[in-house]
């Protein structure tokens, strides 16, 4: 039975590691009853302009993470299911804001398979009282260094059962 003990020890170590890093929060967004809408304009990539979000969108729970190093304690969640009106395209994203903060720390949005990001807090608002994130003409740049940009205005919901500070 030593092999069984080794397997049990490995499983316990893995569980401890996942707990230490925040629980392995790579969960997939699940359906919510919350509507969200993103409007893309002035996209440098053809075909991205338009309205994404024709109903409710899928959300993960908001989780608090305290990374090692100079990065502050962050609250983060993901969404998907924001379908482009009149198209099969879909937007999804990963949003992160400081615990207790009122603006996004970093945002990653994907449109038509291309990721766009910004780590500037301007043109963003975290409204915990409304369970929403607002973007007001936020310029995002392609993360692949292609120089592509999009301008996004959005109301993105977040789940109400958040950790303290989030």
């Amino acid at each position: 039975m030593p092999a069984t003990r080794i397997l049990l020890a490995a499983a316990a170590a893995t569980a401890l590691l996942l707990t230490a890093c925040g629980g392995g929060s790579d969960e997939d967004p699940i359906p919510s009853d919350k509507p969200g809408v993103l409007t893309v304009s002035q996209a440098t990539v053809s075909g991205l302009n338009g309205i994404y979000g024709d109903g409710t969108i899928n959300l993960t729970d908001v989780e608090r993470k305290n990374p090692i190093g100079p990065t502050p304690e962050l609250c983060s969640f993901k969404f998907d299911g924001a379908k482009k009106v009149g198209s099969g395209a879909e937007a999804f994203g990963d949003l992160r804001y400081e615990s207790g903060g009122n603006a996004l720390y970093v945002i990653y949005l994907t449109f038509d398979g291309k990721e766009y990001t910004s780590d500037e807090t301007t043109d963003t608002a975290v409204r915990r009282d409304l369970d929403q994130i607002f973007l007001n003409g936020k310029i995002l740049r392609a993360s692949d260094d292609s120089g592509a940009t999009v301008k996004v205005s959005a109301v993105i919901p977040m789940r109400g059962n958040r950790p303290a500070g989030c």
Side-chain angles (χ1 to χ4, degrees):
M1 294 288 181
T4 303
R5 287 186 188 157
I6 291 171
L7 288 174
L8 288 173
T14 300
L16 280 173
L17 285 172
L18 284 175
T19 301
C21 74
S25 66
D26 290 329
E27 67 185 60
D28 290 328
I30 56 174
S32 76
D33 61 352
K34 298 179 178 276
V37 64
L38 300 91
T39 302
V40 174
S41 62
Q42 300 177 18
T44 57
V45 174
S46 176
L48 293 185
N49 290 333
I51 299 171
Y52 296 77
D54 58 357
T56 59
I57 63 174
N58 307 322
L59 301 166
T60 64
D61 287 335
V62 176
E63 294 186 347
R64 184 174 38 223
K65 300 179 185 207
N66 194 4
I68 297 172
T71 302
E73 181 176 77
L74 298 176
C75 303
S76 67
F77 70 98
K78 297 178 184 176
F79 76 89
D80 68 16
K83 296 186 182 354
K84 185 176 181 185
V85 175
S87 167
E90 183 178 330
F92 57 92
D94 182 339
L95 294 85
R96 302 171 192 180
Y97 56 95
E98 283 190 58
S99 179
N102 295 321
L104 289 178
Y105 183 80
V106 67
I107 182 172
Y108 301 94
L109 295 179
T110 301
F111 300 98
D112 198 27
K114 189 177 200 67
E115 183 183 79
Y116 295 84
T117 187
S118 176
D119 60 0
E120 299 168 352
T121 60
T122 57
D123 302 320
T124 69
V126 176
R127 291 291 308 269
R128 288 173 197 74
D129 58 328
L130 300 174
D131 296 333
Q132 294 176 324
I133 304 287
F134 292 91
L135 304 178
N136 185 17
K138 180 72 179 162
I139 302 294
L140 304 173
R141 294 177 178 13
S143 58
D144 64 5
D145 293 326
S146 65
T149 61
V150 293
K151 183 176 184 179
V152 182
S153 293
V155 177
I156 302 168
M158 56 183 170
R159 294 195 183 272
N161 57 338
R162 299 182 299 276
C166 290

